[in-house]
Amino acid sequence: MNLATLARHTLSRGATPAATYALLARLGHRPLPVARAVCLALDIPRAETTRRLADCYDALLAEHHPDAASDTGELLEALGVFDIPKSLTDTELAVVEHFLTAVDAMGGIRPGHRHGLTRWFTTGNLTTAYLSLAAAHPLPRTGNPALYWTTLVTAGELLATTLPSDRRITYALTHCRTRATRP
């Protein structure tokens, strides 16, 4: 049985991607083929799989450490290697573009926040991304607060059209509108 088939079977039995990776690695398979098999079993396109694995190869996949298989699987999952990309609608793509403009207007962003946003964009979790940006603030010296808040208002209005009954978006949009009108 090839690794991708074995990974698909393990996932179908309810295992997480991290646990699937750990199981296959503990069976003695090399880290890179195991990680690739899990990604392919999750239907992550081959080109995207190759890009993701290249990004973490040196740190996590270059050497085989069966005793660390669980930790490696958890790290790969936390890094977003196993995130299943969602196809975004034109409206959702426009929302992401506004988010990126807002991030630029922040004047700086913590690496962990940027990583979280990237994962939410990939998986289509735009509500969480919006709530996160609405709770953040642009840096006073390097950011552009006016652009930041008006861009989030526009993004929130677009997002509200796709999820009109989500009260969290309504509340965050109101917050952004209030911030946009402050000098």
Side-chain angles (χ1 to χ4, degrees):
M1 183 178 296
N2 79 24
L3 282 177
T5 303
L6 187 55
R8 191 170 283 109
H9 174 74
T10 305
L11 290 165
S12 74
R13 311 249 327 151
T16 65
T20 300
Y21 172 89
L23 172 71
L24 298 178
R26 280 194 302 271
L27 291 174
H29 300 287
R30 306 272 316 146
L32 181 60
V34 170
R36 183 179 298 115
V38 174
C39 288
L40 295 176
L42 291 167
D43 293 325
I44 298 170
R46 186 171 296 276
E48 179 65 13
T49 294
T50 300
R51 185 195 62 75
R52 291 180 187 189
L53 297 179
D55 287 347
C56 64
Y57 177 78
D58 290 335
L60 295 173
L61 303 172
E63 296 185 28
H64 186 50
H65 300 285
D67 295 340
S70 292
D71 292 339
T72 302
E74 292 294 329
L75 279 169
L76 290 169
E77 196 164 283
L79 289 171
V81 171
F82 301 137
D83 286 352
I84 300 169
K86 178 186 180 271
S87 294
L88 301 178
T89 65
D90 289 341
T91 301
E92 291 169 329
L93 288 170
V95 169
V96 169
E97 286 301 318
H98 287 296
F99 288 166
L100 294 173
T101 300
V103 167
D104 287 343
M106 284 180 92
I109 186 169
R110 295 180 332 272
H113 193 187
R114 182 176 294 280
H115 176 71
L117 289 169
T118 300
R119 290 189 71 190
W120 295 324
F121 298 164
T122 299
T123 60
N125 193 347
L126 302 185
T127 298
T128 302
Y130 184 66
L131 297 175
S132 174
L133 288 169
H137 299 281
L139 297 175
R141 291 186 181 175
T142 57
N144 182 339
L147 178 61
Y148 182 76
W149 294 113
T150 57
T151 302
L152 287 182
V153 167
T154 304
E157 289 169 347
L158 282 171
L159 198 54
T161 64
T162 63
L163 300 164
S165 62
D166 193 329
R167 296 175 80 53
R168 299 171 303 161
I169 293 172
T170 304
Y171 176 75
L173 179 55
T174 301
H175 170 74
C176 292
R177 283 183 177 134
T178 301
R179 296 301 303 236
T181 60
R182 289 186 184 162

